[in-house]
Amino acid sequence: MPANGANALVDALRELGVELAFGLPGVHNLPVWEACAHAGIRLVGVRHEQAAAYAADGYARATGRLGVAVVTTGPGAANTLGATGEAMTSGAPVLVIATDIPSTLRRPGVYRGVLHETRDQAAMFAPVTKAATTTASADDLHADVLRAGREALRAPTGPVYLGIPTDLLSAPVTERTPAPDGPPELPDADLDAALALVERAERPLLWVGGGALRAGAGDAVGRLAQRLAAPVVTTYNGRGVLPPDHPCLAPATTHVPAVGALWDEADLVIAIGSDLDGMTTQNWRMPQPPALLAINVDAADAAKNYRPDHVLVGDARSVTERLADAVPARDGLDVLSVQTASLRAHVQTLVREEEPQAALLLDAFDRLLPRDATVLADMCIAGYWVAGFHRVPGPRRLAYPMGWGTLGFAFPAALGAAATGTGRAVAIVGDGGFLFACGELATAVQERLPLTVVLVDDGGYGMLRFDQVQDGVPTRGVDLVTPDFTALAAAFGVPAVGVNGFGEEFDVALTKSLEVDGPSLVAVRAALTPPPSTSPRWYRAAR
């Protein structure tokens, strides 16, 4: 292959371990498609650029590897912004590679009207990425791609934008700019102050976030919890860090009053890989704990919402391992195990009483989904129930857009999870959110992706309808004309079935859909009430 910019780009992707990317072709980025084909990188073509970024996000969350989206200039790049923002707030390592207008036609400070021209394309991405840069020359491309990919993967992980003037893709590479060094070493954690806090605590609680899960800290978290005989509460992004029946694991987030009481009763909270954001703390209505020990790669991130008494700066897995090695083992694990078992029973009863149909859905997922399935929940009522109460079998088996709360996430993100080849992806969506990206059924068929869509049809935006009804105002904008979803799926060649509710009929339909070689869809006619983990119910569920 010629030594040009496109091949320098692809060489760098291969050095980053990239085997799969998602994109949409445009006149400016076609050389990247050619270079990927020759290099053996699978480039999955989607039907909308936003889906490319969502799919890269879903791939990254399911694997922990770099997710890559390749899109074209101007409107193509702009179409990825919502999905890129979700990756940013959820910490997904995504690299968005977008072409820009030819460098030979760009005149600084002047908008000339070149096809797809944007005055400052990189500036659009600055608020929703860790870094946003534009390559200056073909010689720099290899190094710039390596730098961008490593930055996305460096903890705290997140998306990075790299813009490439289209003429650089075909320009000759005369001498490659030296590749940047790897990520800097993290400082050693100072354990003395942390051990003093732990020693004084009688009722410690482990609060575990997405940073711990992304660092692979599950075993260390479990060992620390057992040595301290301490309960473990996870955030949405931390769900799955421990097995669902772990003796220390609380079965839901702190929005459930009985689980939230663990925070209230603790005299020390050990926050691992979490910034204690508003969604998980009911917009910080949860009180400052008597003592707070934070484990975080970023000291400022650890302190921006609650005041820590001490921060152990470093990788969540290695620091938690060191802390677990250093603390003396305590008695009380048997008592804690009984307590968490009682909490699990309490939460199961709560779900059945709050919403029997949701209880049936959760039970079906627990019984019927393969253990290697990745569940992707959308911002819809059924997705809220699954995100909060599904028994997640392990790390990276649940993806939920709690970071930015982007409706329409689950189905296109499931494309990426399904393309990993590690198991079936199951997207739980509503009728409104599914229509954001229903054209991606064509992508699922063309790529023969092992993906099942469970679509809950309540005729509109059910959560927003609930908000309006609660406020005593007429429903406006929330009741939707929707298609026959089974016929829509069939038009794309996707096996589909419609059922009423989540009873035996749903069990049969889900079982058959999971056996399909390729994509499938189950449309469920049901209207669910929101769970107590949703923000309109925080105050009614307050302890």
Side-chain angles (χ1 to χ4, degrees):
M1 294 296 293
N4 62 21
N7 290 302
L9 183 161
V10 169
D11 285 349
L13 290 180
R14 291 187 57 157
E15 287 185 43
L16 290 166
V18 174
E19 300 173 349
L20 172 68
F22 304 87
L24 198 149
V27 65
H28 287 158
N29 71 7
L30 290 177
V32 179
W33 289 72
E34 179 71 10
C36 283
H38 284 282
I41 293 178
R42 180 185 176 192
L43 187 46
V44 173
V46 298
R47 303 307 188 264
H48 191 279
E49 288 89 358
Q50 180 167 267
Y54 274 141
D57 184 346
Y59 175 87
R61 295 197 205 201
T63 63
R65 301 175 66 182
L66 183 66
V68 177
V70 177
V71 298
T72 193
T73 317
N79 280 342
T80 69
L81 287 170
T84 305
E86 174 55 46
M88 181 65 190
T89 51
S90 289
V94 170
L95 175 58
V96 178
I97 298 173
T99 47
D100 207 332
I101 67 167
S103 60
T104 54
L105 301 181
R106 173 75 72 185
R107 187 178 299 167
V110 179
Y111 177 79
R112 304 185 69 195
V114 179
L115 178 67
H116 301 330
E117 182 179 5
T118 303
R119 286 181 173 85
D120 189 344
Q121 188 168 292
M124 295 193 303
F125 286 85
V128 294
T129 57
K130 292 179 67 177
T133 60
T134 301
T135 294
S137 74
D139 289 351
D140 293 339
L141 248 176
H142 181 265
D144 285 351
V145 173
L146 285 178
R147 182 181 295 106
R150 289 171 179 168
E151 176 63 20
L153 290 165
R154 181 180 61 82
T157 56
V160 172
Y161 164 82
L162 178 63
I164 304 172
T166 184
D167 56 312
L168 302 187
L169 295 175
S170 55
V173 173
T174 57
E175 184 177 356
R176 283 184 179 176
T177 302
D181 294 332
E185 291 287 329
L186 291 169
D188 287 336
D190 173 19
L191 289 180
D192 291 342
L195 291 172
L197 287 172
V198 173
E199 184 178 355
R200 290 195 296 268
E202 297 180 358
R203 298 176 305 281
L205 168 70
L206 271 59
W207 173 283
V208 183
L213 187 146
R214 292 188 292 272
D219 288 345
V221 167
R223 190 156 60 89
L224 177 61
Q226 288 180 286
R227 289 184 69 81
L228 293 178
V232 176
V233 171
T234 67
T235 68
Y236 287 106
N237 281 340
R239 299 203 66 224
V241 71
L242 293 179
D245 292 318
H246 191 281
C248 300
L249 180 65
T253 62
T254 51
H255 305 92
V256 174
V259 178
L262 296 173
W263 174 283
D264 296 339
E265 296 164 359
D267 59 358
L268 169 66
V269 172
I270 304 175
I272 306 173
S274 173
D275 63 358
L276 296 163
D277 64 90
M279 289 301 296
T280 54
T281 62
Q282 301 187 51
N283 282 342
W284 305 288
R285 290 182 69 248
M286 293 166 56
Q288 172 79 28
L292 175 60
L293 169 63
I295 297 174
N296 199 306
V297 294
D298 184 339
D301 187 63
K304 68 186 182 185
N305 290 316
Y306 285 82
R307 175 188 49 78
D309 294 89
H310 187 63
V311 180
L312 292 174
V313 178
D315 172 74
R317 180 173 63 184
S318 62
V319 174
T320 305
E321 285 174 347
R322 291 184 60 193
L323 186 59
D325 288 340
V327 298
R330 299 185 179 187
D331 296 329
L333 185 58
D334 290 343
V335 173
L336 176 61
S337 180
V338 172
Q339 180 186 11
T340 54
S342 176
L343 268 178
R344 283 194 291 272
H346 169 78
V347 169
Q348 289 172 354
T349 300
L350 173 71
V351 172
R352 285 195 300 270
E353 291 177 348
E354 289 261 346
E355 180 49 84
Q357 285 291 306
L360 291 173
L361 165 62
L362 293 164
D363 178 63
F365 270 27
D366 190 43
R367 288 184 291 106
L368 302 178
L369 295 191
R371 295 298 94 179
D372 61 356
T374 300
V375 175
L376 301 100
D378 211 21
M379 296 296 290
C380 61
I381 294 178
Y384 301 149
W385 280 106
V386 169
F389 299 95
H390 172 52
R391 284 167 50 84
V392 185
R396 304 191 180 279
R397 299 279 71 87
L398 174 70
Y400 181 50
M402 182 44 70
W404 226 20
T406 48
L407 180 60
F409 159 88
F411 174 46
L415 302 174
T420 64
T422 59
R424 197 165 191 89
V426 178
I428 177 79
V429 303
D431 50 307
F434 179 70
L435 290 176
F436 280 35
C438 62
E440 299 304 331
L441 286 170
T443 303
V445 171
Q446 186 162 337
E447 299 292 331
R448 298 189 60 82
L449 296 176
L451 190 165
T452 293
V453 177
V454 177
L455 188 155
V456 183
D457 183 1
D458 63 0
Y461 301 124
M463 188 70 235
L464 302 177
R465 183 190 292 133
F466 175 86
D467 290 343
Q468 292 176 341
V469 170
Q470 288 295 107
D471 290 342
V473 299
T475 57
R476 304 185 192 279
V478 298
D479 300 311
L480 304 178
V481 172
T482 54
D484 179 335
F485 286 106
T486 57
L488 176 66
F492 284 95
V494 174
V497 62
V499 301
N500 291 304
F502 292 101
E504 293 183 10
E505 188 182 19
F506 173 71
D507 283 8
V508 172
L510 179 61
T511 299
K512 291 182 178 179
S513 73
L514 293 170
E515 296 171 351
V516 171
D517 182 16
S520 60
L521 183 143
V522 180
V524 185
R525 289 174 289 276
L528 307 180
T529 55
S533 52
T534 51
S535 55
R537 298 197 56 200
W538 286 349
Y539 301 103
R540 292 196 295 136
R543 301 177 294 286

